[in-house]
C-alpha cells in the first residue's frame, strides 16, 4: 500500500477526489486534523486532533466490481481491529456505521468518481480515538476509544493496523470470500423499528436483518424488501 500523510488537510476524501488520476490503486491518505471533514448526506464531520482520519483509494476493477459489498465489509474489518484493542459491544449499523452499544465510534463515507465508467472508489474513515468529550449537537451520540478504555491509543499504530486489515480483507473479498455470516453477528439494526430514507422518501420500516449479497431486508408497508446500501439511509 502506498501511504501519504498530512498533519493537516481540508478533507482526506476531497484530496483523493482531486488527485486520484495520478495515484496508484490502494493509496491511503491520512491526516491528524481536518479543517473541512465531510460526513454522509452532506453533513460535516468534526475533525479535531486526536482521532483517525483516513481515506483509501481503490481504482482496480477487481475492487470496483464489489462496490455493493465494500461499504459493509470495510466497516466489519475496522470493527475487528477495534475488538483487537479490547473494545466490546460492537455493532454495525448497516451499511457502515460502527456502534458501541447505542453510541457511534466510527463513520465511513464511501464516495465514487465516475465519467462514462466508474473511475474509483474512496473509502473515508473517521474513527473516534483519543477525543475526551463531544460537546456539539449530534444526531447520533458519539463515543471514542479513549472514553471507553480510559487511555490514549497510538494513532500511527492504529492506522497501520486498519490499513493492514483493509488490505487483507479486501483481498479476501476479491478471492471470493463471503463475509455475510461474519457480518450478521454484528447486526445492530436487526429487529428494530426505524425510519428509513428509501428513494428519498421517509418510511417507517421494521428491520429483519442482513441478508446474503450484503443487502438488508426490511418490512415496509407490509411488504418485504431487500435493499442495497445505495438505496437506503436510516434515522433511529
Ligand atoms: C459519516 O457521516 O458517518 C461518515 C464520516 C466519514 C468521515 C471521514 S474522516 C476521513 C474522511 N475524510 C472526510 O472528509 N470524511 C471521511
Amino acid at each position: 500500500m502506498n501511504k501519504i500523510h498530512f498533519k493537516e488537510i481540508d478533507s482526506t476524501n476531497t484530496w483523493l477526489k482531486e488527485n486520484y488520476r495520478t495515484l496508484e490503486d490502494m493509496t491511503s491518505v491520512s491526516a491528524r486534523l481536518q479543517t473541512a471533514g465531510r460526513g454522509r448526506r452532506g453533513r460535516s464531520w468534526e475533525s479535531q486532533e486526536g482521532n483517525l482520519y483516513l481515506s483509501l483509494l481503490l481504482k482496480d476493477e477487481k475492487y470496483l466490481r464489489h462496490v455493493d459489498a465494500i461499504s459493509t465489509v470495510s466497516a466489519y474489518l475496522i470493527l475487528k481491529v477495534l475488538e483487537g484493542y479490547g473494545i466490546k459491544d460492537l455493532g454495525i449499523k448497516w451499511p457502515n456505521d460502527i456502534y458501541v452499544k447505542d453510541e457511534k465510534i466510527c463513520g465511513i463515507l464511501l464516495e465514487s468518481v465516475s465519467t462514462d465508467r466508474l473511475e474509483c472508489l474512496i473509502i473515508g474513515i473517521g474513527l473516534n480515538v483519543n477525543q475526551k468529550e463531544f460537546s456539539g449537537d449530534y444526531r447520533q451520540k458519539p463515543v471514542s476509544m479513549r472514553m471507553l478504555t480510559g487511555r490514549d491509543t497510538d494513532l500511527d499504530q492504529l492506522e497501520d493496523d486498519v490499513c493492514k486489515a483493509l488490505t487483507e480483507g479486501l483481498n479476501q473479498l476479491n478471492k471470493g470470500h463471503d463475509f455475510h455470516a461474519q457480518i450478521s453477528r454484528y447486526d445492530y439494526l436487526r429487529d428494530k423499528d426505524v425510519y428509513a430514507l428509501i428513494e428519498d422518501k421517509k418510511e417507517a420500516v421494521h428491520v429483519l436483518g442482513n441478508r446474503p449479497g450484503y443487502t438488508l431486508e426490511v418490512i415496509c408497508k407490509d411488504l418485504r424488501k431487500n435493499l442495497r446500501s445505495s438505496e437506503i439511509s436510516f434515522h433511529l
Side-chain angles (χ1 to χ4, degrees), residues 10-14 34 36-41 43 45 47 52-55 96-97 104 106-109 123-127 140:
D10 51 354
S11 149
T12 53
N13 264 40
T14 306
Q34 292 187 125
R38 294 186 292 111
R40 294 180 74 188
R41 307 195 66 75
R43 299 194 189 98
W45 185 260
S47 303
L52 188 68
Y53 310 111
L54 174 72
S55 299
N96 59 19
D97 282 341
K104 178 163 161 174
C106 180
I108 297 179
L109 176 65
I123 308 171
I125 299 154
L127 175 56
Q140 297 145 326

Side-chain angles (χ1 to χ4, degrees), residues 89-179:
D89 301 312
L90 285 154
I92 298 170
K93 187 182 139 224
W94 191 89
N96 59 19
D97 282 341
I98 306 179
Y99 271 61
V100 177
K101 295 199 178 124
D102 286 324
E103 297 174 338
K104 178 163 161 174
I105 193 164
C106 180
I108 297 179
L109 176 65
L110 183 71
E111 295 190 292
S112 58
V113 180
S114 303
T115 51
D116 48 341
R117 62 179 191 98
L118 179 59
E119 298 275 340
C120 70
L121 285 173
I122 297 165
I123 308 171
I125 299 154
L127 175 56
N128 299 331
V129 184
N130 293 324
Q131 192 160 338
K132 293 197 180 89
E133 57 183 9
F134 294 85
S135 50
D137 185 15
Y138 293 92
R139 289 167 51 82
Q140 297 145 326
K141 197 164 179 264
V143 71
S144 69
M145 292 170 73
R146 157 86 204 210
M147 287 156 72
L148 295 163
T149 63
R151 40 173 205 276
D152 276 346
T153 298
D154 182 316
L155 281 173
D156 294 332
Q157 183 61 56
L158 181 64
E159 184 178 323
D160 281 354
D161 293 341
V162 168
C163 287
K164 187 163 175 276
L166 288 170
T167 308
E168 289 175 5
L170 295 178
N171 275 335
Q172 274 184 293
L173 185 68
N174 290 337
K175 287 188 189 137
H177 180 75
D178 186 351
F179 284 91

